[in-house]
Amino acid sequence: MLEVSGLNTFYGQAHILSDVHLAVGGNEVVALLGRNGAGKSTTIKSIMGLVRPRSGRVAYDGQDITGWPAYRVCRLGIGYVPEERRIFTELSVEENLEVGRRPPRPDAPEWTPDRLYQLFPNLAERRRQAGGRLSGGEQQMLTIARTLMGNPRLVLLDEPSEGIAPLIVEQMARVIKELKREGLAVLISEQNLHFSRIVSDRAVIIEKGEVRFTGSFADLDANPDIAQATLAI
């Protein structure tokens, strides 16, 4: 479904991504792992069109979308959950969800507020509260739910477990597994190896803007030096 090849992205003169390759198949969850500053978020933003790569290719369902503006990428069926959450703090949970609403797609699950409240019971209890009054974990849930209101086929999640309580992390894992059961593909940018192992089919490890490993978690376990060199703090 998603194929990234030879991606090079710069911020000014700083070379952030160097020849990055990765792929996500339909109904697959792939974890993009790495330390802070490794290039995970830049990879996600380069795919989404928020940062324009200098070279390389991003393809979605075989279509070259390299450098497309984010609104066009979104219309294709790619949803983006930013690390910063960016909810509308003065709007209620219900109103935040309505902001994300898009028409149904013939090739993707249709999400409604009622379905999302079943997926995120915490939001159901607070549906009339302002987004700014939610906890950090609940705001993360709201950001994911708002993205799902666009009925995407592929979801890009940037650091979904960062800075939230362990109980909410467990709920987040359950949600990602449910998205896979619904047929969605998911690319997760993460530092949390344990969380990624629970929800993901494969791992891609990036360090200093370069891919150092691609494979299953069994392959990663068979090469502990790789995790130690690229993920250990």
Side-chain angles (χ1 to χ4, degrees), residues 184-204:
L184 273 69
V186 184
L187 177 62
I188 308 173
S189 160
E190 261 296 340
Q191 295 183 65
N192 188 328
L193 180 58
H194 174 69
F195 174 78
S196 300
R197 187 187 298 275
I198 291 171
V199 302
S200 307
D201 299 298
R202 294 189 295 112
V204 177

Side-chain angles (χ1 to χ4, degrees), residues 35 38 67 87 125 137 141-142 177 198 218 229:
R35 299 186 181 101
I87 64 166
E125 296 170 3
M141 291 178 179
L142 179 55
K177 290 178 181 179
I198 291 171

Side-chain angles (χ1 to χ4, degrees), residues 2-231:
L2 175 71
E3 185 175 1
V4 175
S5 53
L7 207 64
N8 286 272
T9 300
F10 289 70
Y11 290 142
Q13 297 302 311
H15 196 172
I16 306 301
L17 300 182
S18 300
D19 199 31
V20 167
H21 291 72
L22 63 86
V24 182
N27 196 30
E28 184 181 35
V29 180
V30 175
L32 179 61
L33 295 166
R35 299 186 181 101
N36 267 335
K40 304 186 303 297
S41 292
T42 301
T43 301
I44 296 284
K45 290 176 180 178
S46 297
I47 294 168
M48 196 64 207
L50 296 167
V51 178
R52 187 178 181 86
R54 189 169 295 183
S55 64
R57 184 173 187 263
V58 179
Y60 176 69
D61 272 352
Q63 182 176 10
D64 190 340
I65 62 169
T66 312
W68 281 26
Y71 75 89
R72 289 187 64 195
V73 175
C74 176
R75 288 176 181 175
L76 284 178
I78 301 178
Y80 169 58
V81 180
E83 180 182 0
E84 304 87 357
R85 298 168 187 156
R86 297 180 185 173
I87 64 166
F88 296 95
T89 56
E90 300 301 319
L91 299 183
S92 69
V93 167
E94 291 179 328
E95 291 166 336
N96 268 276
L97 293 181
E98 287 302 319
V99 169
R101 185 186 290 273
R102 291 191 62 82
R105 303 177 191 276
D107 54 358
E110 180 180 357
W111 295 94
T112 64
D114 286 342
R115 285 197 68 199
L116 290 167
Y117 291 145
Q118 292 176 12
L119 191 62
F120 299 100
N122 299 53
L123 298 184
E125 296 170 3
R126 295 163 175 77
R127 64 182 69 189
R128 293 182 177 82
Q129 283 190 12
R133 296 180 59 192
L134 303 180
S135 70
E138 289 165 347
Q139 289 183 6
Q140 182 69 284
M141 291 178 179
L142 179 55
T143 308
I144 295 173
R146 183 181 62 188
T147 298
L148 292 174
M149 283 292 289
N151 302 314
R153 293 179 60 217
L154 167 67
V155 178
L156 310 178
L157 285 172
D158 197 358
E159 302 278 6
S161 75
E162 184 178 18
I164 60 178
L167 181 61
I168 301 295
V169 172
E170 291 179 13
Q171 294 178 30
M172 204 70 67
R174 176 183 57 80
V175 166
I176 293 171
K177 290 178 181 179
E178 180 62 28
L179 297 185
K180 183 179 178 180
R181 282 192 289 269
E182 289 284 344
L184 273 69
V186 184
L187 177 62
I188 308 173
S189 160
E190 261 296 340
Q191 295 183 65
N192 188 328
L193 180 58
H194 174 69
F195 174 78
S196 300
R197 187 187 298 275
I198 291 171
V199 302
S200 307
D201 299 298
R202 294 189 295 112
V204 177
I205 297 179
I206 189 169
E207 182 188 33
K208 297 180 180 178
E210 298 182 12
V211 172
R212 304 296 189 186
F213 171 87
T214 299
S216 68
F217 285 93
D219 292 337
L220 185 58
D221 290 340
N223 295 276
D225 290 348
I226 294 175
Q228 179 64 32
T230 59
L231 300 177

